[in-house]
Amino acid sequence: MQESLYTLVCIFKTLVMTRKILHNLFIFTTVLFFSLTSQAQDDIQTFKNFQFSFNRVSQAWMKCNDTLAKLFHKQGLKYPPQDIYVRSFKSNNEMEIWARDEDTAAYKLVKKYRVCALSGILGPKRLEGDHQVPEGFYFIEDFNPKSDFYLSLLINYPNYSDLILGDKNKPGGDIYIHGGCVTVGCLPLTDQFIQEFYVLCLNAKLNGQNYIPVHIFPTRFDRTGLNFLGKMYKDETEKHRFWVNLKAGYDYFERHRRILPVMYNPDGKYVF
């Protein structure tokens, strides 16, 4: 009888201790969550203050923000946006802006911009100084409010695929979407369009979108585009294998108006 009572007392003490541990763990987790949230908010505010300390950014925002809001509202979309997607077609000199309000929703086309200059030929970038515009699946990595080309946004070239398939020592870098309408491997817009594009991406980041996807294709992979690639690059089998890989991501978006996570296999091939 005494042993049973002792066992019950031990169990009760263990339960009380476990409850205290769980309670303290809950308090710690809650404090950590609010601390990280507060830090993230502080980081965003610091980023915003830095960006708007430059006249080019503040003037672009005053000039373009209302126009962008009307454009989004016309498409039935919230503004500022929380999820935008950029895709560009080199041979068509086009850049498209898509957006959606919810993670589960399909993207809607908001606007097209004309890419006003292009260097190199169709095909991926593989080497520093080859003047090629990259092709593949990227995201915006940085905002430059003091660019030599008015305003600019850095994309994360080289990604893992580029590092595997490109030159191992000098794959290149510093690929931007920028103003100035000149290029040796970037995606240039006019100064007027880069103002609008920069404000749009800035508002998306300030609204919580840390990674804005940018997908760059050689052309639209429709019948016209495929015929063009087959005719003009018929003997370049390596490029065609790469384009078949890109086309899988392109086709998924065309069917569903959604994008897939960017993943790679050890050989640098995109996996969908």
Side-chain angles (χ1 to χ4, degrees), residues 18-78:
T18 301
R19 184 179 178 183
K20 288 182 178 179
I21 292 172
L22 290 174
H23 178 69
N24 290 337
L25 181 61
F26 172 76
I27 292 175
F28 172 77
T29 304
T30 302
V31 170
L32 179 62
F33 171 78
F34 282 107
S35 175
L36 291 174
T37 301
S38 177
Q39 181 179 352
Q41 290 173 342
D42 289 343
D43 289 344
I44 284 293
Q45 189 61 47
T46 300
F47 170 77
K48 180 179 180 180
N49 291 343
F50 175 74
Q51 289 291 321
F52 280 90
S53 69
F54 293 88
N55 287 334
R56 289 180 185 179
V57 176
S58 58
Q59 289 172 2
W61 193 90
M62 288 187 292
K63 176 182 176 182
C64 302
N65 199 56
D66 288 345
T67 300
L68 286 166
K70 291 175 183 177
L71 187 62
F72 270 70
H73 294 156
K74 185 178 179 180
Q75 298 296 329
L77 294 165
K78 297 176 183 177

Side-chain angles (χ1 to χ4, degrees), residues 6-269:
Y6 176 74
T7 301
L8 288 173
V9 170
C10 288
I11 292 173
F12 178 75
K13 287 182 177 179
T14 301
L15 289 174
V16 170
M17 184 176 298
T18 301
R19 184 179 178 183
K20 288 182 178 179
I21 292 172
L22 290 174
H23 178 69
N24 290 337
L25 181 61
F26 172 76
I27 292 175
F28 172 77
T29 304
T30 302
V31 170
L32 179 62
F33 171 78
F34 282 107
S35 175
L36 291 174
T37 301
S38 177
Q39 181 179 352
Q41 290 173 342
D42 289 343
D43 289 344
I44 284 293
Q45 189 61 47
T46 300
F47 170 77
K48 180 179 180 180
N49 291 343
F50 175 74
Q51 289 291 321
F52 280 90
S53 69
F54 293 88
N55 287 334
R56 289 180 185 179
V57 176
S58 58
Q59 289 172 2
W61 193 90
M62 288 187 292
K63 176 182 176 182
C64 302
N65 199 56
D66 288 345
T67 300
L68 286 166
K70 291 175 183 177
L71 187 62
F72 270 70
H73 294 156
K74 185 178 179 180
Q75 298 296 329
L77 294 165
K78 297 176 183 177
Y79 190 84
Q82 63 182 28
D83 190 342
I84 61 175
Y85 161 54
V86 181
R87 68 175 187 171
S88 187
F89 303 97
K90 287 164 58 173
S91 72
N92 307 89
N93 289 89
E94 283 186 348
M95 183 182 295
E96 296 177 342
I97 309 300
W98 298 74
R100 63 182 180 179
D101 290 335
E102 306 292 340
D103 290 344
T104 56
Y107 283 98
K108 294 182 180 180
L109 180 63
V110 178
K111 186 166 183 175
K112 295 180 182 180
Y113 293 105
R114 180 166 178 77
V115 177
C116 56
L118 192 67
S119 67
I121 59 176
L122 299 190
K125 182 176 181 62
R126 294 290 182 242
L127 176 67
E128 181 181 316
D130 62 6
H131 294 181
Q132 283 291 101
V133 177
E135 294 173 9
F137 302 99
Y138 304 98
F139 60 84
I140 291 174
E141 192 170 48
D142 196 17
F143 291 70
N144 183 7
K146 48 183 179 179
S147 170
D148 291 337
F149 304 98
Y150 201 76
L151 295 166
S152 62
L153 302 101
L154 178 69
I155 68 170
N156 69 316
Y157 174 91
N159 62 18
Y160 179 80
S161 175
D162 301 314
L163 291 173
I164 297 298
L165 299 177
D167 186 89
K168 298 299 185 290
N169 297 316
K170 293 185 176 181
D174 292 332
I175 304 299
Y176 288 86
I177 301 170
H178 61 68
C181 216
V182 293
T183 185
V184 287
C186 296
L187 291 169
L189 305 175
T190 63
D191 288 350
Q192 177 184 346
F193 285 158
I194 195 63
Q195 284 181 307
E196 190 172 276
F197 182 76
Y198 195 95
V199 169
L200 173 60
C201 293
L202 180 61
N203 274 329
K205 181 174 176 63
L206 293 175
N207 206 25
Q209 187 177 9
N210 289 322
Y211 300 99
I212 299 171
V214 178
H215 295 176
I216 307 172
F217 300 102
T219 188
R220 297 181 186 278
F221 290 123
D222 54 18
R223 180 176 297 180
T224 301
L226 292 173
N227 287 339
F228 174 78
L229 294 178
K231 180 180 179 181
M232 300 302 295
Y233 298 88
K234 61 181 179 180
D235 298 324
E236 301 192 42
T237 55
E238 186 175 337
K239 282 186 179 180
H240 281 284
R241 282 196 296 268
F242 178 72
W243 289 334
V244 167
N245 190 202
L246 295 189
K247 187 175 181 295
Y250 171 92
D251 288 344
Y252 183 87
F253 183 80
E254 288 297 299
R255 287 194 302 269
H256 304 289
R257 291 295 186 252
R258 293 173 174 83
I259 59 176
L260 291 167
V262 178
M263 297 183 291
Y264 318 88
N265 71 11
D267 298 322
K269 184 178 180 180

